[in-house]
Every structure is written in structure tokens, then in C-alpha cells.
């Protein structure tokens, strides 16, 4: 994260995007650690991924989902990188995508997962799945500052 930046007082909405963040309890209590970004239908996206042969499960899943269709939702968790978990890590990433997809009524490939945090521990999918309805309830075109990590706010995202 960049240092020495001041937290803006406001950020303007971007047409076709809504954001939400909630406390899912992925690693720490009382910390916003789960973000959902909704993209309008027919949005164009670009993605850049590591070229390292060893990559985290969310990278593997995001690449495969992008091969099928453009995303409608980006699901971002902090506290657990879902890296080094092998096939189980991939299954956990897909499970989280499916929770969003089922709630939104879209194919699972329309959801891209992103994770950051501790490496080598299994991603706790239960708290993420439980938090998905709360994310949808909180979606807002003005949700930028809630997602913006800043001093004084308990945000991990």
C-alpha cells in the first residue's frame, strides 16, 4: 500500500459499479475483511496475473473463470491468501464464488475470487458464505470509502 497519502473525504461513484464491505471474521473479529464489487453487465475488464508457476488458488480460479466469461462480481477477502492449499484451496475458492453466484443468479464463472493474507492455511469458507447476503444488502455506488483502507478504520480490505 502506498504510504504518505491522505484519506480522501469523498470518492465519486463510477457508473456501473457498486461496492460493499463487511466483517466476516475470516481471521480477526471486528474487522472489515470481505469486499464485493459488482460490475454492470457487458462491462469490459482486463487482468494481469503472476507468471510464476506457483500461484494461489484464487489466481487459478480467476484465470479459468475469465476464459469462460467476463466477470460480474469480484469477491475479495483479507486475512487468508488461500495459497498453498492445492486442490482443496481451489475448491474453497470456487465454493466462495458459488455462494456469490447463487445469490446473484449468475453462473459461477461470473465471479472472480481474490485473497490476501496468511499463506498456507485453509480458507475458512463458512464465514464468507454466511456474509454473502450481507454484502449484497450493503452494495452501494458510494461504497468506495468503506473499502478504502485507512487509519482509524478497522479495515483489512
Amino acid at each position: 500500500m502506498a504510504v504518505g497519502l491522505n484519506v480522501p473525504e469523498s470518492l465519486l461513484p463510477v457508473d456501473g459499479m457498486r461496492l460493499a464491505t463487511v466483517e466476516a471474521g475470516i481471521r480477526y473479529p471486528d474487522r472489515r475483511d470481505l469486499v464485493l464489487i459488482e460490475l454492470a453487465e457487458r462491462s469490459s475488464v482486463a487482468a494481469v496475473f503472476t507468471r510464476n508457476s506457483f500461484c494461489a488458488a484464487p489466481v487459478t480460479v480467476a484465470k479459468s473463470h475469465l476464459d469462460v466469461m467476463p466477470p460480474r462480481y469480484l469477491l475479495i477477502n483479507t486475512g487468508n491468501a488461500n495459497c498453498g492449499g492445492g486442490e482443496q484451496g481451489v475448491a474453497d475458492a470456487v465454493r466462495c464464488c458459488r455462494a456469490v453466484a447463487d445469490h446473484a443468479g449468475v453462473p459461477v464463472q461470473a465471479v472472480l475470487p481474490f485473497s490476501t493474507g496468511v499463506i498456507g492455511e485453509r480458507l475458512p469458507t463458512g464465514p464468507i458464505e454466511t456474509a454473502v447476503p450481507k454484502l449484497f444488502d450493503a452494495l452501494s455506488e458510494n461504497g468506495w470509502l468503506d473499502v478504502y483502507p485507512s487509519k482509524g478504520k478497522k479495515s483489512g480490505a
Side-chain angles (χ1 to χ4, degrees), residues 5-83:
L5 298 178
N6 294 322
V7 178
E9 290 185 29
S10 66
L11 292 171
L12 298 175
V14 175
D15 285 342
M17 291 183 71
R18 296 192 308 158
L19 300 92
T21 184
V22 298
E23 296 173 4
I26 294 167
R27 186 160 189 89
Y28 303 106
D30 302 319
R31 180 177 176 182
R32 292 188 313 237
D33 54 4
L34 192 62
V35 174
L36 184 67
I37 300 173
E38 178 186 66
L39 305 173
E41 287 188 67
R42 298 182 305 279
S43 292
S44 295
V45 299
V48 177
F49 296 101
T50 182
R51 289 189 271 162
N52 192 319
S53 59
F54 178 78
C55 57
V59 173
T60 301
V61 173
K63 285 180 178 180
S64 69
H65 285 190
L66 278 172
D67 284 343
V68 176
M69 65 178 35
R72 286 290 317 281
Y73 296 93
L74 311 178
L75 181 65
I76 307 158
N77 74 269
T78 66
N80 185 304
N82 193 10
C83 182

Side-chain angles (χ1 to χ4, degrees), residues 112-127:
L112 301 185
F114 299 89
S115 297
T116 184
V118 175
I119 295 172
E121 293 182 11
R122 183 163 179 206
L123 181 68
T125 58

